Amino acid sequence: MAPTTPANKTPFKILLGRFLTRSGDQAWDFAVPLTLLKIFPDQIRIAAGYYLAVKFLHVLLMPRLASVIDRKSRIHVAYLGTIMQLVGVVGGALSLFYVGPSNLVFIFAVLGLSGLIGSMGSTLMNISVGNDLVPAAIPTPQITKFNSHMRQLDLFTEVSSPVVAGLLLIVTHPSIPLFGFLLVALWNVVSFIPEMFILKSIFKSSPELLKEKTQTSPTSKLSMLTKLKNGWTAFFRQPVAPAVGAYALLWLSVLSPHGVLLTGYLKDAWNMPEIVVGAFRGLGALFGLLSTVLFPIIVAKFGLIKGSRSFILFQTAMVMTALVFFWIPTQMGQYGFLIFILFSRVGLYGFSLGEMQIRQLGIAAHERGEVNGFADALTGVATLALFAFGTLLPSTSQFSILVSGSVGFVILGAIIFSLWKAPKFD
């Protein structure tokens, strides 16, 4: 555990490094699809195919990559994650600058590979910092409040980074194509430098965090499929697996102000003005911010497990009410549907904070990397399943099925978490 003297600046340094990582990630994720659509007008399937391929391979490979956290020192993991992010940004930028009809397939493959490397590097950093460094460096009584600060920072970058990236994308230069996109790429590349120095400073001030780790079982001779099979089996035997599974079910939902499917439905089926849809998205982050204020208060009063349960039950009640308004064929029904989705974000973000802290405290230190890698993959599987459902039910007239199914998955997640025999964390 890190020393708790007033001079200890580790929490601030972790948050600063997190800000650099998340702001760059949010800007890049916003800029890439828009740039693809600029290069290939009216070809949304290219952007969709890119993200589908990257997400699928990410889900397949991330659990094995995350296990490096359990075997290597934290500084080596930080180097690896930063280098992977750098390769992803540089490779992605170069591929889009040199795309042409004669090399389209090759460039798309390079773009996809770069996107995969960058995505895995970003997730590796998120896991190594949020799920490994934080519980090792932050005193346990302070973790709840610290996690709330981290989520507040994430929400701030979620709103602000796309705005800044959007302003950069409209900057032009007569002799440099995609000049605005180049600025976003440079933003990412430059941010990696202070991020690395910040992490080195943390490890220098707390040398005990640099201790090498050893793998608990020799698996290097096993095949990839065997490693994945054994890894998933071991993951579902973890005491925290039901909590992670309940959280993953919440990703099987179109009821998100930031969701592509819901945004398309609001515009196509309900003909809502862009200003309303944009305000709905912004308010989603604002309501999520409210949960970060409430979470430490609720946990202090009821404990981690009961507090987390109260958030997921609140989310369940809100989405069930939203479903009732969805079936009311009036403008009142439409706006009631949106309002209760916004309220549901308080429950979702609050429960996500609880689930993260459950993993921080409930996973053994020597297993944090691999177990959190499989947890990330599980939410990735849920995301893939959601888009698969959206593909199978593409018509706006069928969107009601997705809405009803989303509410059903939230209810199922709440039931699983409520029935879970949780270890003692409080």
Side-chain angles (χ1 to χ4, degrees):
M1 183 177 296
T4 57
T5 62
N8 182 19
K9 298 181 180 180
T10 296
F12 172 77
K13 292 177 181 178
I14 293 176
L15 289 175
L16 181 57
R18 177 85 169 191
F19 171 76
L20 292 171
T21 298
R22 297 294 293 175
S23 60
D25 288 347
Q26 293 286 353
W28 186 251
D29 288 343
F30 179 81
V32 169
L34 292 182
T35 304
L36 283 171
L37 289 173
K38 183 177 181 179
I39 298 173
F40 306 103
D42 300 322
Q43 294 294 322
I44 195 172
R45 61 182 178 180
I46 292 180
Y50 163 76
Y51 277 104
L52 183 62
V54 169
K55 195 66 179 178
F56 175 77
L57 292 173
H58 180 106
V59 169
L60 184 64
L61 301 175
M62 192 62 220
R64 300 313 310 168
L65 176 64
S67 66
V68 73
I69 297 173
D70 304 325
R71 304 193 304 270
K72 301 295 184 181
S73 69
R74 291 185 174 95
I75 189 65
H76 288 142
V77 174
Y79 285 143
L80 176 61
T82 303
I83 291 172
M84 291 180 69
Q85 288 177 293
L86 179 62
V87 170
V89 170
V90 173
L94 290 176
S95 65
L96 290 181
F97 270 92
Y98 289 99
V99 68
S102 61
N103 60 358
L104 180 59
V105 175
F106 174 75
I107 291 299
F108 187 79
V110 174
L111 176 64
L113 180 60
S114 300
L116 174 64
I117 293 173
S119 173
M120 293 176 69
S122 176
T123 302
L124 184 65
M125 292 296 289
N126 286 337
I127 293 175
S128 65
V129 174
N131 297 103
D132 183 39
L133 180 59
V134 167
I138 305 298
T140 300
Q142 299 177 18
I143 285 183
T144 299
K145 189 173 183 179
F146 183 83
N147 285 341
S148 294
H149 290 327
M150 272 207 308
R151 187 53 52 87
Q152 290 167 2
L153 187 148
D154 289 349
L155 289 169
F156 174 76
T157 60
E158 184 178 309
V159 174
S160 61
S161 292
V163 174
V164 177
L167 293 174
L168 291 176
L169 287 173
I170 64 176
V171 178
T172 60
H173 191 284
S175 59
I176 303 178
L178 304 179
F179 183 69
F181 178 69
L182 177 61
L183 293 178
V184 176
L186 288 175
W187 170 6
N188 273 265
V189 172
V190 171
S191 71
F192 296 143
I193 300 173
E195 180 184 352
M196 198 65 253
F197 277 107
I198 289 169
L199 288 171
K200 288 181 68 175
S201 174
I202 293 173
F203 298 132
K204 183 178 180 181
S205 61
S206 302
E208 69 276 7
L209 297 175
L210 279 173
K211 290 180 180 177
E212 293 282 347
K213 305 169 188 178
T214 56
Q215 197 173 17
T216 55
S217 60
T219 61
S220 58
K221 295 183 179 180
L222 298 178
S223 68
M224 181 68 176
L225 289 177
T226 302
K227 288 179 181 179
L228 285 173
K229 178 183 176 181
N230 293 347
W232 279 111
T233 300
F235 168 76
F236 283 112
R237 289 175 179 168
Q238 287 283 329
V240 302
V244 178
Y247 178 64
L249 286 170
L250 305 186
W251 286 66
L252 279 165
S253 172
V254 297
L255 305 178
S256 168
H258 307 93
V260 176
L261 297 177
L262 180 57
T263 299
Y265 179 79
L266 296 180
K267 183 62 183 172
D268 185 53
W270 285 358
N271 296 313
M272 285 193 164
E274 285 82 355
I275 185 65
V276 173
V277 178
F280 178 56
R281 179 181 179 126
L283 287 171
L286 186 62
F287 274 74
L289 185 63
L290 177 60
S291 71
T292 66
V293 177
L294 293 175
F295 183 75
I297 300 173
I298 298 296
V299 171
K301 185 172 183 179
F302 298 105
L304 177 58
I305 303 303
K306 289 183 179 179
S308 300
R309 186 184 301 128
S310 69
F311 277 106
I312 194 172
L313 290 176
F314 180 79
Q315 181 193 4
T316 303
M318 292 302 99
V319 297
M320 290 175 67
T321 307
L323 180 61
V324 173
F325 276 93
F326 180 81
W327 289 108
I328 299 177
T330 64
Q331 191 174 64
M332 183 194 75
Q334 293 177 358
Y335 282 95
F337 173 70
L338 299 185
I339 288 170
F340 280 98
I341 285 180
L342 290 175
F343 277 110
S344 76
R345 306 308 282 178
V346 178
L348 172 63
Y349 279 87
F351 180 71
S352 71
L353 280 169
E355 187 267 350
M356 179 172 66
Q357 188 166 334
I358 286 170
R359 281 189 283 135
Q360 287 172 334
L361 302 179
I363 300 173
H366 66 276
E367 296 178 310
R368 284 175 184 154
E370 185 164 12
V371 174
N372 281 291
F374 279 101
D376 174 79
L378 193 61
T379 57
V381 170
T383 301
L384 288 173
L386 176 63
F387 281 102
F389 291 146
T391 302
L392 294 173
L393 302 169
S395 171
T396 53
S397 63
Q398 299 171 314
F399 193 75
S400 60
I401 301 175
L402 295 177
V403 173
S404 301
S406 299
V407 174
F409 283 120
V410 172
I411 293 173
L412 180 59
I415 292 174
I416 290 174
F417 189 79
S418 298
L419 297 178
W420 175 44
K421 303 296 183 182
K424 185 70 174 178
F425 293 121
D426 305 319

